[in-house]
Amino acid sequence: RDALAEHLESEIISADSMQVYKYFDVGTAKPPAEFRRRVPHHLLDILEPDEEFSAFDFKTRSLDLIQDLDSRGKIPVMVGGTGLYLKTLLEDRDCAVAVTTETRDRVRAEIRGRGLDALYQELQQVDPDYAETISRNDPVRVERGLSVYRQSGRPLSSFHREDTAADLPFAPYLFLLERERPVLYQKINDRVEAMIGNGLKQEVESLLDRGFDKTLKPFQAIGYAQMVAHLEGQMDLDQTVREIQKETRHYAKRQVTWFKKMKDTRTVPVQDEDSAQSLKDKILAFLPQGVALLLFVLWAGLFPGPVAAAETDPFPAAIHLLQKGEWEAARSALEGLQRSQLEPEYRNRVEFLLA
C-alpha cells in the first residue's frame, strides 16, 4: 500500500471499521508512525471508543475525501478490509434504516441476558441471508441485523437487494491479492503472536483501567473480545492466543468469499518471493493509462489483501459538471475528450454537449 501510494504521490484512506477508534492500536494493526509520516493517512483515530460509526458514515466521509484529493490532483489509495464499507461506497448503498437508540439498547441487553448464540439463532429465523454472511460470534453484526429487523419489520438483506448501481464519477477496479490458504493461515498465526509480543494484553488492560466499558463496539473486535475474556479469568493466555488465531482465520476466509463475490474483482496471486514493490508493479500492470482515481484495500489488516482501484470516466464526470452548472469545468473536460480517440457515437455526443 505504501509503495503504491508513494509511487502515485498519493494519500491513503483507511477502510477499516476498527482503526477509526483512538487508543485501539495494537489489535487493529494501525500503520506505524513512520509510514504515516511518509504518506498522509485519513480516517484513522477519528473517534472516541464510545462513538458510533456506520457504513453510511464511512461512505459520506470517504466521498468528501476522494473529492478533496481529486481536486488537488492526487490519487486516493484506500486500505482496509471492512467489506461492507467498500460495498457501501462503491455500490452507493443507503444502509437500510436508522435504528433508534432504544431499539439498539434492547437488542444489546438481550445479547447480554439471553446470550449471543440465542440472538444469532433468532437472526437466522428472520434474516437467514444476512445471518449466512456473518459469524455467529460477531455481536456487532448480530445486533445490527436484529435491530434493523425490529425497527423496520424487514430483513436487512432485503434492503441490500433493492440497492441500485451507484452513479459514481469513476469506474471502480477491485483487486484481490491472494495467497495460498496454508501460507495465509500461517501468517495469521504469526501475526497474532506478534500482537501479543507488542503488548495487546497491556493495551486492553490500560483501556479498561481508563474506564472504557467492555461492551463498547471496539472491544467486540477479534483480539480485543478474547483478551477481555482472558483478563476476566475465562481462559488462560495460550487459549486466548489460539482463539484469536482461529477467529481471525475464519474472518479471513469470509473476507475472501465476500470480495470474490463483488463485481469485477481481479485476483492477483501472491508468491513468497513477492515484495511490496513487485506487488505494486503487478497492480499497476492491470490499470489502463490515465488512471485518475485509485482505491487500494488490504483485508483483515494483513499483507496482502484485496485491492480496489477506480479510474475516472471523463464522460459521466463531464455530465455531472453540466448538471451542477459548472460550465467552464464541463467544457474543459469535454474538450479534452474531443482531442482523444473516441468511438464515433461517443464523439457525436461530446460534440452535441459542447454545442
Side-chain angles (χ1 to χ4, degrees):
R1 65 191 184 184
D2 299 287
L4 186 62
E6 288 186 304
H7 174 85
L8 298 170
E9 298 182 353
S10 183
E11 300 181 14
I12 288 174
I13 301 172
S14 171
D16 189 296
S17 63
M18 292 297 115
Q19 290 187 354
V20 296
Y21 291 105
K22 299 175 183 177
Y23 323 125
F24 288 75
D25 301 327
V26 178
T28 63
K30 286 177 185 169
E34 175 192 350
F35 289 170
R36 296 165 74 169
R37 283 193 295 269
R38 293 204 323 253
V39 179
H41 286 62
H42 303 275
L43 299 187
L44 293 179
D45 296 327
I46 60 172
L47 300 175
E48 294 295 325
D50 58 352
E51 292 184 88
E52 294 287 341
F53 192 75
S54 68
F56 184 75
D57 295 325
F58 169 79
K59 183 182 83 168
T60 54
R61 292 207 189 199
S62 292
L63 287 174
D64 288 343
L65 287 166
I66 289 169
Q67 184 178 20
D68 172 62
L69 293 170
D70 188 49
S71 71
R72 293 190 276 126
K74 291 184 175 290
I75 301 173
V77 175
M78 187 164 282
V79 179
T82 303
L84 180 60
Y85 279 13
L86 184 61
K87 199 174 185 71
T88 300
L89 171 66
L90 296 182
E91 298 182 6
D92 200 21
R93 291 175 177 266
D94 63 8
C95 305
V97 297
V99 176
T100 65
T101 301
E102 291 78 9
T103 298
R104 185 182 296 113
D105 288 345
R106 281 198 300 270
V107 174
R108 288 176 177 173
E110 287 188 47
I111 290 176
R112 291 192 295 270
R114 295 170 53 196
L116 180 60
D117 192 63
L119 272 291
Y120 179 78
Q121 291 180 42
E122 181 180 332
L123 181 63
Q124 286 180 307
Q125 295 297 316
V126 300
D127 193 352
D129 291 342
Y130 178 67
E132 187 180 1
T133 67
I134 68 173
S135 168
R136 66 188 311 118
N137 299 316
D138 189 335
V140 173
R141 289 174 176 82
V142 171
E143 173 207 308
R144 174 64 174 163
L146 284 176
S147 295
V148 168
Y149 179 78
R150 294 184 182 183
Q151 187 76 43
S152 66
R154 291 177 53 188
L156 177 59
S157 58
S158 71
F159 289 94
H160 292 173
R161 286 193 293 269
E162 290 177 358
D163 286 324
T164 57
D167 183 21
L168 298 172
F170 53 82
Y173 287 77
L174 182 65
F175 296 93
L176 176 63
L177 300 186
E178 188 172 27
R179 288 186 183 273
E180 293 291 333
R181 196 62 58 87
V183 176
L184 173 62
Y185 286 174
Q186 185 57 54
K187 285 189 171 291
I188 288 172
N189 292 341
D190 293 343
R191 178 195 176 200
V192 173
E193 295 280 2
M195 284 182 170
I196 299 300
N198 290 335
L200 177 60
K201 178 178 178 178
Q202 291 77 11
E203 180 177 84
V204 174
E205 285 179 317
S206 174
L207 289 165
L208 293 172
D209 287 344
R210 292 173 63 179
F212 293 116
D213 194 281
K214 67 178 183 179
T215 62
L216 293 174
K217 180 179 177 179
F219 276 123
Q220 311 310 312
I222 296 173
Y224 290 99
Q226 291 79 10
M227 192 56 70
V228 168
H230 164 66
L231 292 172
E232 291 181 338
Q234 298 179 33
M235 63 181 91
D236 62 30
L237 187 58
D238 287 342
Q239 184 183 355
T240 301
V241 171
R242 291 194 298 271
E243 286 295 315
I244 297 173
Q245 290 170 332
K246 181 187 72 175
E247 290 300 323
T248 306
R249 292 194 300 269
H250 291 170
Y251 182 56
K253 183 179 179 181
R254 292 196 301 274
Q255 283 180 309
V256 171
T257 301
W258 177 284
F259 283 109
K260 283 189 173 181
K261 286 182 178 178
M262 288 186 68
K263 184 180 179 182
D264 298 327
T265 297
R266 296 162 172 83
T267 300
V268 180
V270 179
Q271 310 302 327
D272 286 342
E273 60 270 19
D274 275 318
S275 64
Q277 294 296 325
S278 67
L279 289 175
K280 175 205 72 177
D281 293 339
K282 286 183 179 182
I283 295 164
L284 292 175
F286 273 96
L287 301 177
Q289 296 295 318
V291 168
L293 179 65
L294 189 68
L295 307 175
F296 180 93
V297 180
L298 283 165
W299 46 268
L302 296 171
F303 176 82
V307 179
E311 177 191 7
T312 293
D313 185 343
F315 197 76
I319 290 177
H320 183 63
L321 291 169
L322 283 170
Q323 292 170 337
K324 293 199 300 181
E326 298 181 8
W327 314 117
E328 289 303 317
R331 184 180 69 178
S332 176
L334 290 166
E335 287 176 344
L337 277 174
Q338 193 177 37
R339 292 191 294 270
S340 64
Q341 297 294 323
L342 289 175
E343 295 293 329
E345 61 177 301
Y346 290 111
R347 182 169 296 282
N348 291 339
R349 293 174 68 187
V350 168
E351 291 175 351
F352 172 79
L353 288 170
L354 276 172

